[in-house]
Amino acid sequence: RKVGNYRLTGVLGTGGMGVVYQAEDDEGHQVAIKVPAPHLVSQGDFHQRFLREIELGLKLKHPRVVKVLEMPLQEELYVVLEYVRGTPMDKVPLEPWSIEWKRCLQWAAQSLEALAYIHSQDVIHRDLKPANLMILPDNSLKLMDFGIAHKIHGTRLTGTDSIMGTPIYMAPEQLQGSQIDPRADLFSLGLILYERLRPGLPYSDDLLETLRQKLSQPMISLRDTNPKFPSAFDEFIMTLLAMDPNDRFPDAQSALQSLKPLLTLTKR
């Protein structure tokens, strides 16, 4: 089967939002093509949202961000992405703790490089989760999927967007439907790191109960369960996870600057 000018050669991933195929053009250049699920295409405003994702992605050019390559032809909905050989973080097995925390420290810095860049372009990701962080064979990282990303100014989680995303990784203010800023992405990154370093998040499957917990129960320090965990990295993650966005780092660039001195810990 062909999509646009590309021949599909395999399936890279499937989910409720659609299918991601591996594909190639007539010259053999490899790409990834995301085709939305039919039930989404039938929604009235989905077409506009999907094209907005592509237009946003075309403007983002950074080594830590997966490239969007072109707009779809005619009326068929799909997005052409650079083909990245890697594994989504949620499929990457945990290493022994002494290795895992050092990997997480490196991934945190690389994620913040990507977030600092997209935030500088006035974009909030809004759906940061392990499945949207691609880990390459050299253990480096790329940020993926801008399906519900928004411009920073005037971003409010309402209407059909309110049921999109992954509630367990959302910041408290995002779950409440409040106006959000880049600090919501920082909270999500904190949860991703926390989950890998203390497997299993303490949240209910029920959306309202998850919201209640996020608004009333601060996360337990990682050092409370593992005294060997470096105190500076623990403090960094807990700052990302502050319930009040005013208690987090003011932005991704500030968080990255705070984290850089800790990277020397990975060389010990």
Side-chain angles (χ1 to χ4, degrees):
R1 182 192 164 195
K2 292 194 75 173
V3 171
N5 292 322
Y6 298 91
R7 182 173 64 87
L8 305 183
T9 58
V11 176
L12 296 173
T14 61
M17 302 296 288
V19 183
V20 180
Y21 296 97
Q22 186 173 350
E24 62 183 16
D25 63 15
D26 292 338
E27 297 178 357
H29 298 132
Q30 300 295 302
V31 298
I33 294 184
K34 182 167 73 171
V35 179
H39 74 276
L40 293 176
V41 176
S42 64
Q43 293 179 7
D45 61 347
F46 181 81
H47 192 285
Q48 183 179 357
R49 285 207 313 271
F50 195 80
L51 291 179
R52 184 191 66 204
E53 172 189 1
I54 300 172
E55 290 168 354
L56 272 178
L58 285 169
K59 297 175 183 177
L60 299 176
K61 307 292 183 186
H62 190 274
R64 297 284 179 215
V65 178
V66 171
K67 295 184 183 71
V68 175
L69 300 178
E70 63 184 62
M71 294 289 286
L73 298 174
Q74 299 174 342
E75 292 300 312
E76 188 172 10
L77 278 188
Y78 61 89
V79 56
V80 183
L81 308 162
E82 70 168 310
Y83 174 60
V84 178
R85 294 185 184 275
T87 306
M89 187 185 285
D90 60 333
K91 304 297 184 185
V92 175
L94 292 172
E95 293 281 1
W97 180 82
S98 60
I99 297 173
E100 187 64 30
W101 76 263
K102 293 181 180 180
R103 283 204 304 180
C104 286
L105 189 53
Q106 296 283 352
W107 289 341
Q110 294 171 12
S111 299
L112 287 168
E113 289 174 10
L115 291 175
Y117 169 72
I118 70 167
H119 295 164
S120 75
Q121 303 302 303
D122 288 339
V123 174
I124 309 173
H125 192 284
R126 296 205 315 163
D127 194 22
L128 196 63
K129 58 186 177 182
N132 286 338
L133 294 173
M134 182 70 77
I135 307 302
L136 281 57
D138 64 357
N139 261 334
S140 64
L141 172 151
K142 280 184 179 271
L143 175 62
M144 303 180 66
D145 200 344
F146 291 85
I148 63 168
H150 264 289
K151 288 291 187 180
I152 286 175
H153 303 293
T155 298
R156 186 176 292 274
L157 199 64
T158 57
T160 54
D161 279 351
S162 65
I163 60 169
M164 299 181 72
T166 310
I168 197 167
Y169 293 103
M170 287 180 181
E173 66 273 19
Q174 189 175 357
L175 271 175
Q176 288 179 294
S178 302
Q179 186 163 318
I180 63 170
D181 62 30
R183 293 172 296 181
D185 285 343
L186 297 185
F187 183 94
S188 300
L189 175 60
L191 267 187
I192 291 168
L193 298 170
Y194 191 95
E195 183 179 35
R196 288 199 71 89
L197 294 166
R198 188 177 183 270
L201 293 175
Y203 295 135
S204 166
D205 290 335
D206 179 77
L207 181 60
L208 290 178
E209 178 60 17
T210 296
L211 175 59
R212 187 195 68 78
Q213 291 171 331
K214 284 190 174 181
L215 292 173
S216 63
Q217 298 178 11
M219 302 293 279
I220 299 171
S221 164
L222 289 162
R223 280 178 61 84
D224 284 354
T225 55
N226 187 345
K228 294 182 180 179
F229 191 78
S231 58
F233 193 21
D234 180 54
E235 182 179 343
F236 173 85
I237 292 174
M238 299 314 293
T239 301
L240 294 179
L241 288 173
M243 291 186 291
D244 185 339
N246 292 318
D247 294 331
R248 298 174 207 149
F249 296 102
D251 51 51
Q253 189 61 47
S254 299
L256 180 59
Q257 291 304 314
S258 176
L259 187 67
K260 281 183 176 178
L262 306 185
L263 294 174
T264 57
L265 297 175
T266 64
K267 298 178 174 61
R268 295 179 183 175

